[in-house]
Amino acid sequence: MPEPEPFTASVNPEWERLENLAAEAAGVASSLLKPKTRAQLQISAKSSRTDLVTDMDLACEAAIVEFLGDHRPDDGVMGEEGSGRDGTSGVRWIIDPIDGTVNFVYGHPGYGVSVAAEADGQVVAGAVIDPVLDETFTAHKGGGARRNGHAIRVRPDGEPAMALVATGFSYQHERRRRQTEVLGELLPLIGDIRRVGGAAVDLCSVACGRVDAFFEVGLNPWDYAAGTLICAEAGAVVQDLYGGPPNSDFVFAAAPSVADTLLKLLQNADADRI
């Protein structure tokens, strides 16, 4: 497996500017989340009874879109809650206004705001804010990854047999059943599993060394666009199950010290058939 790209200074000032703008846009939404209580929320379901959306998801997405429109009116937008517009600049923003809405509704940590910038089909900048821990993770392609402005790297010396692996579960009940079967095969061979509930926050946990790896199936681009870039820039191996780019079928991110072994374990467990 090729070594991750080394930590380098910015190679594109425009991508660095997009990183800063992504952080500002995510901050606009994050500031709306802190004072809101569960009793005030208007909650409904989307794809299943456990796939929740609130009025705050919609308000946060609208605030991000308005902010980006004020600063870059020619860019495109794709948001989880339906915001979409074509742009003429070659840049498109991929937005998850609250990644981990169920956690937010319950007042449980593990939710965040994710904003990524895609240039000509390639994610080049992104930010994820965890408002509970007051942490802002950012990166731009070729420029390294940061938490609250300080450089971060993946855990350098993990052991597969002791690996702490984060994952998530589908909203679809049959897929959940299959996921538990895969975990049953994986768990005796690693250190432990963590299920936090927000893919963007989980990916940032890989990037800063809180966990050794993350995998999940069935994510959408807004769930992983910013987080996978931040992981890659922090030195993680980021791919699908068989070496392609991360995608909605499979997202895998891990410190290089555990990546090969974990990938083989997941392949042996037929994790791609979840």
Side-chain angles (χ1 to χ4, degrees):
M1 179 176 296
E3 291 294 321
E5 294 182 6
F7 185 91
T8 60
S10 176
V11 297
N12 189 317
E14 176 63 15
W15 295 349
E16 186 173 8
R17 286 190 286 270
L18 293 175
E19 174 191 341
N20 293 333
L21 195 61
E24 291 181 52
V28 168
S30 180
S31 67
L32 298 177
L33 298 178
K34 294 180 180 179
K36 196 75 175 180
T37 66
R38 184 174 184 271
Q40 297 171 292
L41 293 174
Q42 298 177 28
I43 305 168
S44 57
K46 296 192 290 186
S47 64
S48 76
R49 60 181 173 80
T50 56
D51 183 10
L52 303 183
V53 62
T54 73
D55 56 329
M56 284 306 298
D57 291 82
L58 302 174
C60 287
E61 183 161 303
I64 293 170
V65 171
E66 180 179 6
F67 176 87
L68 293 172
D70 288 343
H71 288 79
R72 294 186 60 94
D74 298 326
D75 292 353
V77 167
M78 178 176 67
E80 178 180 13
E81 307 309 336
S83 297
R85 66 166 182 250
D86 294 329
T88 58
S89 67
V91 172
R92 182 175 68 161
W93 296 91
I94 305 173
I95 301 164
D96 194 338
I98 308 179
D99 181 65
T101 297
V102 173
N103 285 353
F104 173 63
V105 167
Y106 276 78
H108 192 285
Y111 61 89
V113 181
S114 177
V115 179
E118 184 184 72
D120 299 320
Q122 172 184 228
V123 176
V124 298
V128 174
I129 293 184
D130 181 333
V132 177
L133 296 180
D134 196 23
E135 292 182 330
T136 299
F137 295 87
T138 65
H140 66 273
K141 190 171 178 61
R146 284 154 287 282
R147 176 177 58 192
N148 293 343
H150 301 285
I152 54 174
R153 298 290 287 177
V154 297
R155 182 178 289 274
D157 54 359
E159 298 179 22
M162 296 298 295
L164 191 60
V165 180
T167 191
F169 297 120
S170 171
Y171 293 120
Q172 306 306 316
H173 299 304
E174 178 56 28
R175 176 172 270 183
R176 284 187 177 198
R177 184 193 62 77
R178 175 60 183 148
Q179 286 172 312
T180 63
E181 293 174 358
V182 169
L183 287 180
E185 295 183 40
L186 182 64
L187 191 53
L189 305 173
I190 62 172
D192 210 342
I193 290 287
R194 290 294 179 269
R195 194 283 198 256
V196 173
V201 171
D202 278 341
L203 286 162
C204 290
S205 291
V206 176
C208 71
R210 282 194 185 121
V211 298
D212 295 288
F214 167 81
F215 74 94
E216 190 166 346
V217 300
L219 294 175
N220 291 295
W222 46 78
D223 298 311
Y224 64 83
T228 50
L229 175 67
I230 292 166
C231 272
E233 290 298 322
V237 174
V238 178
Q239 59 172 80
D240 69 4
L241 189 57
Y242 291 103
N247 54 64
S248 293
D249 291 330
F250 207 95
V251 174
F252 175 87
S257 58
V258 302
D260 281 338
T261 298
L262 290 179
L263 280 167
K264 289 175 183 175
L265 292 175
L266 288 166
Q267 290 165 5
N268 289 341
D270 292 330
D272 56 337
R273 294 197 294 109
I274 296 175

